């Protein structure tokens, strides 16, 4: 709910448990932030003091009404550069005359039910009952620049989203050199910063640091959201637990370069910002043109990290992911990548499909290596015609044969890329992003196509469409296996080269939009060298994303914990693979691999024709577990019960159905501990009056007992062991 107090000129945005308050400054017409946190009553005329902006002068010499002293502290809703605010700015502009001063004052606002789409960008949505939007217009009358700040508030989750539109109403072009999507000012209470760090095969591990004076944060300059840092940060209570302590979470609905930072100032106030990374960003705004930022999400929880997680999950499940598969059980797939790498042919794939069908698997996904002369990863990206040496009779024959076995068929493509050794590159070397006269750096022996050029974009779309129409293809794994470098577009003039990073992301979004509208029945799984583009931007187009190339069950505990910190379990691509695991060489029980993969979309990635009889025998059991528990896992509320990253020995999580009738607890004993008693796990989020039965032992437990005394975990001997415990309300 959004209210405006006309007398006090204060806005109040309420979600079920939070309030966000800001207002218009009387002296200068600036938009000033007052409060964000636990929900408070409607006495908003009183809220101004929280900002400390109107404190009296401490010493005669320190005049807070002096403009520069005011600017040096004012908690702006959207700060600007060049006028005496020395902190980091939400917006920086360069004018044709080289000056940068920008000063925004309130003009007007409107409040409406629902939410308008962000053209060309992924964004949250909702109907008139579930979301309300405030748009505040600010203007610099001297340089004739208008900024519209949009805030949307959701009735069913504690999230607020923000974005900004910059409009040049002057007569000459201006350049945007920095533009954030959201900023937040808050008093530091000895807070920590939580971010997600990673690398290839090691994505999204949580990392805490104490917020100190100056800048801290994370960013990507790689042209994608990246393995290394994630477009997320949370400002947290230093004694944070899953159920206690304050958390301010930020997430960016964008798949390119980002910055997420917290700047602690001399007055002990934090300025948090999230937006497009200003690195190599310079956007020319012609007279009359406008620029829309991507959307950022903010959430506040007074009740620990778990509540933050569930707010994000609810937002993304109800207001971001559009796919018709979101609420459906996805077909259990078997992917041939770790089974064969590039070494396969029709017969090999059919032998996998035959065994898979017999064991209850529902879809075969043919990964990299089926096109051009792609016998290894040094060539052929861009040549999207089937390799008839490997697949005689082409895709149609293979897919029909797979369908005859009762399996669906899925395919891998990497549409954004080109190999220098490809027919496409030989015909159009200038279609790749590279700088004329400078040999480009290769990564996995490939270059990125300049999708910002209309002819390249059209050709790429045509390639995708032709493949998908050539056979009964029901699933697409869309990969992206290198980052951008050697930035130059032959399609842009010199003064627009600073737009390439962002224009590239917009072009990818346009391709994906075309894909989902042209093939509405296609199940899409995005991917980027594992999980380098696992972000809310891509979730707008695909209901699931490949989480990591590391399929080891133990590595996956931390990767999936970090990913599920923000994203619903139903979005995490997770497969049972062979051992020794290809990424780390670890050997874990087949059963544990299954339990960990059940926390995601579930599937297999191994040569089913070669695994042991014992492992094979477990597949029908796992398939049955998937069918039994997937509705619960996909739609339920997720609670982290124990973190391997914190305790070094075990990991556990639970999912509770929305109607609270069912609970599934997964416990993984990573390292056994000598000479100790059995463990108990305290469950969370239950109604203490309810009673639950352990479906296996038949034993009844009060929900209060489960939460305060804990659920007993059967002891097991050995490492890497796991247990599923299914509880039903009595
Ligand atoms: C990436 C993906 C893998 C696989 C390979 C194929 O690394 O993450 O799953 O598809 O590409 O080259």
């Amino acid at each position: 709910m959004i209210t405006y107090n006309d007398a006090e000129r204060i806005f109040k945005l309420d979600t079920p448990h939070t309030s966000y308050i800001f207002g218009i400054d009387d002296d200068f017409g600036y938009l000033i932030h007052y409060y964000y946190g636990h929900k408070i009553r409607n006495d908003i005329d009183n809220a101004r003091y929280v900002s400390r902006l109107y404190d009296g002068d401490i010493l005669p010499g320190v005049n807070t009404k002096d403009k520069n002293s005011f600017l040096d502290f004012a908690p702006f809703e959207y700060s600007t550069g060049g006028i005496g605010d020395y902190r980091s700015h939400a917006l920086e502009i360069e004018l044709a005359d080289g000056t940068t001063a920008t000063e925004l004052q309130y003009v007007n606002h409107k409040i409406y039910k629902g939410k308008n789409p962000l053209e060309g960008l992924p964004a949250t949505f909702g109907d008139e009952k579930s979301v309300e939007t405030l748009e505040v217009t600010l203007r610099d009358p001297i340089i004739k620049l208008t900024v519209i700040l949009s805030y949307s508030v959701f009735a069913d989750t504690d999230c607020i989203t923000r974005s900004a539109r910059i409009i040049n109403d002057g007569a000459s072009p201006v350049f945007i050199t920095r533009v954030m999507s959201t900023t937040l000012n808050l008093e530091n209470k000895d807070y920590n910063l939580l971010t997600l760090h990673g690398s290839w095969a090691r994505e999204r591990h949580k990392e805490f640091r104490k917020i100190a004076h100056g800048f801290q944060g994370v960013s990507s300059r790689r042209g994608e959201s990246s393995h290394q840092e994630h477009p997320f940060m949370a400002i947290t209570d230093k004694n944070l637990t899953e159920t206690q302590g304050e958390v301010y979470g930020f997430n960016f609905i964008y798949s390119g370069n980002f910055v997420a930072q917290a700047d602690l100032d001399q007055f002990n106030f934090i300025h948090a910002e999230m937006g497009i990374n200003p690195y190599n960003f310079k956007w020319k705004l012609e007279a009359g043109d406008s620029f829309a930022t991507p959307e950022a999400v903010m959430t506040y929880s007074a009740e620990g990290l778990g509540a933050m997680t569930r707010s994000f999950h609810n937002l993304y499940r109800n207001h971001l992911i559009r796919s018709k598969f979101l609420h459906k059980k996805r077909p259990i797939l078997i992917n041939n990548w770790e089974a064969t790498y590039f070494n396969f042919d029709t017969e090999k794939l059919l032998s996998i499909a035959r065994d898979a069908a017999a064991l209850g698997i529902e879809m075969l996904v043919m990964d990299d290596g089926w096109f051009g002369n792609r016998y290894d990863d040094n060539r052929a990206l861009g040549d999207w015609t089937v390799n008839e040496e490997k697949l005689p009779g082409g895709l149609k024959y293979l897919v029909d044969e797979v369908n005859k076995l009762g399996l669906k068929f899925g395919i891998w493509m990497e549409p954004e890329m080109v190999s220098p050794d490809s027919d496409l590159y030989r015909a159009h070397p200038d279609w790749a992003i590279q700088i004329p006269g400078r040999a480009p750096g290769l990564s996995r022996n490939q270059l990125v196509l300049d999708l910002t050029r209309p002819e390249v974009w059209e050709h790429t779309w045509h390639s995708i469409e032709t493949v998908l129409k050539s056979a009964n293809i029901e699933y697409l794994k869309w990969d992206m296996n290198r980052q951008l470098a050697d930035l130059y577009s032959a399609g842009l003039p010199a003064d627009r080269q600073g737009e390439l990073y962002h224009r590239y992301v917009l072009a990818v979004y346009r391709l994906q939009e075309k894909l989902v509208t042209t093939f509405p029945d296609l199940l899409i799984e995005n991917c980027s060298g594992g999980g380098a583009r696992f972000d809310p931007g891509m979730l707008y187009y695909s209901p699931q994303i490949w989480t990591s190339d590391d399929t080891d069950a133990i590595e996956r505990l931390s990767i999936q914990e970090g990913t599920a910190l923000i994203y619903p379990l139903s979005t995490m691509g997770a497969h049972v693979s062979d051992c020794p695991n290809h990424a780390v060489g670890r050997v874990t029980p087949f059963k544990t691999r299954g339990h960990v993969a059940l926390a995601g979309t579930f599937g297999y990635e191994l040569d089913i024709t070669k695994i042991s009889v014992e492992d094979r025998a477990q597949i029908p059991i796992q398939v049955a577990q998937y069918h039994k528990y997937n509705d619960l896992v996909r739609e339920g509320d997720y609670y982290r019960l124990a973190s391997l990253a914190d305790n070094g020995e075990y990991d556990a999580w639970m999912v509770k159905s929305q109607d609270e009738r069912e609970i599934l607890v997964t416990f993984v004993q990573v390292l056994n501990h000598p000479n100790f008693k059995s463990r108990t796990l305290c469950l969370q989020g239950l109604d203490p009056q309810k009673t639950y039965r352990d479906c296996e032992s038949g034993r009844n437990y009060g929900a209060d007992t489960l939460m305060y005394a804990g659920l007993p975990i059967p002891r097991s001997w050995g490492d890497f062991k796991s247990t599923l415990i299914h509880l039903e309300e009595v």
Side-chain angles (χ1 to χ4, degrees), residues 200 335 337 342 367-368 374 377 412 414 444 477 479 481 527-531 546 548-549 605:
W200 174 76
N335 177 305
W337 177 241
F342 295 98
D367 211 278
D368 194 356
R374 185 85 169 163
D377 59 6
W412 176 99
E414 197 180 356
R444 214 186 184 208
K477 179 176 173 188
D479 211 340
N481 277 323
C527 172
S528 178
W546 184 229
S548 177
D549 278 345
E605 184 140 347

Side-chain angles (χ1 to χ4, degrees), residues 351-504:
S351 70
I352 292 176
R354 259 178 237 117
D355 281 17
L359 296 170
I361 293 170
E362 299 159 316
M363 178 160 75
L364 174 77
V365 174
M366 178 172 66
D367 211 278
D368 194 356
W370 58 266
F371 50 91
N373 66 343
R374 185 85 169 163
Y375 291 95
D376 56 35
D377 59 6
N378 295 325
R379 63 203 89 247
L381 289 171
D383 297 344
W384 298 108
T385 45
V386 72
N387 178 323
E388 294 251 358
E389 216 169 68
K390 289 187 187 183
L391 308 179
L395 274 182
K396 176 97 176 62
Y397 172 75
L398 170 66
V399 177
D400 288 349
E401 290 303 303
V402 170
N403 287 168
K404 278 186 211 158
L405 294 168
L407 294 192
K408 296 176 190 295
F409 183 87
I411 200 164
W412 176 99
M413 287 185 82
E414 197 180 356
E416 300 161 64
M417 299 290 153
V418 63
S419 309
D421 181 0
S422 66
D423 293 341
L424 180 66
Y425 187 80
R426 283 183 280 276
H428 300 286
D430 62 311
W431 281 14
I433 292 178
Q434 55 183 319
I435 301 170
R438 179 184 292 278
L442 295 179
S443 174
R444 214 186 184 208
N445 265 316
Q446 63 195 58
L447 293 167
V448 183
L449 285 170
D450 184 359
L451 296 173
T452 68
R453 291 174 59 184
E455 60 277 35
V456 184
W457 190 95
E458 286 298 338
H459 173 89
T460 306
W461 168 248
H462 180 70
S463 307
I464 300 169
E465 191 181 27
T466 309
V467 169
L468 294 178
K469 285 195 168 158
S470 68
N472 183 25
I473 296 171
E474 298 184 68
Y475 159 108
L476 173 67
K477 179 176 173 188
W478 176 308
D479 211 340
M480 194 270 194
N481 277 323
R482 71 154 285 175
Q483 299 156 346
L484 276 62
D486 298 295
L487 279 216
Y488 172 78
S489 170
L492 292 173
D495 63 355
R496 287 195 180 273
Q497 291 295 330
E499 300 175 14
L500 182 52
Y501 266 132
H502 183 55
R503 282 186 185 275
Y504 180 81

